[in-house]
Amino acid sequence: AAVRFMLMAGAPFKEQIVVPLDICEKVFYTRAVFQRIAAARQTPVVKMFKDLQGPEFARDPKRTSFAWDSIAAALLIQPELAVKMEERYVDVDATYGPNYGRSLSYKASDRADLSRPADFPDGAQKVKILLDIDRKRFWDLFVKLMTKS
């Protein structure tokens, strides 16, 4: 319900950008990224990465994980990481049940024009949805920030 409240607040925000799981689950933290961080000058953050991630990659060098929150944070720092965004109207199901928290997005169509809010379900808010990022630039920024002194 908190996400729906923030989404519906709309007015105080210059723009709202949604970073959906769709893109977050296509960007993988890999051993190659870990090695770039581990090879940097030793700082408390680099040491933490080595201590926590090193044994995991030693057990399974092909291990990957997602970068959910890191993508959202990186987009705030470097908006040009976004290479594909789309405007849509979005709503979040706040009715307790199996779809609780599920987001619903609506695109422009022959019967729905993004410039006419009345064409979309009541309460839906116009936002930008991140569909793709420049992965190389994202990981370069990530490594730079994780290895910064």
Side-chain angles (χ1 to χ4, degrees):
V3 171
R4 187 169 200 277
F5 175 78
M6 291 307 296
L7 185 65
M8 297 309 125
F13 302 104
K14 180 180 170 187
E15 71 178 353
Q16 292 181 337
I17 299 173
V18 175
V19 180
L21 290 178
D22 304 44
I23 181 60
C24 294
E25 294 182 353
K26 293 178 185 172
V27 179
F28 299 100
Y29 172 69
T30 64
R31 184 171 187 239
V33 176
F34 165 75
Q35 288 175 325
R36 289 174 62 190
I37 295 167
R41 190 173 70 74
Q42 181 93 343
T43 66
V45 173
V46 170
K47 181 180 180 331
M48 179 190 71
F49 266 82
K50 287 180 181 178
D51 292 348
L52 296 174
Q53 299 291 313
E56 297 292 328
F57 284 112
R59 270 193 296 282
D60 181 5
K62 293 182 180 180
R63 173 185 185 277
T64 62
S65 64
F66 301 117
W68 297 301
D69 296 336
S70 300
I71 293 171
L75 197 61
L76 288 171
I77 296 167
Q78 226 175 70
E80 59 276 10
L81 289 173
V83 295
K84 186 174 182 187
M85 299 226 302
E86 191 173 287
E87 278 192 334
R88 294 185 187 176
Y89 276 82
V90 173
D91 195 4
V92 176
D93 187 345
T95 305
Y96 188 72
N99 289 319
Y100 182 74
R102 182 180 209 161
S103 60
L104 308 162
S105 72
Y106 306 92
K107 299 185 207 187
S109 69
D110 291 342
R111 290 182 272 163
D113 184 328
L114 288 174
S115 66
R116 291 191 315 256
D119 287 355
F120 298 91
D122 215 18
Q125 178 70 30
K126 190 177 186 180
V127 301
K128 291 181 180 177
I129 298 179
L130 180 68
L131 299 175
D132 203 3
I133 64 168
D134 182 326
R135 287 161 177 75
K136 181 187 179 323
R137 287 179 71 185
F138 166 73
W139 288 118
D140 287 348
L141 175 64
F142 184 87
V143 170
K144 176 184 169 187
L145 294 173
M146 293 303 116
T147 59
K148 194 173 184 172
S149 301

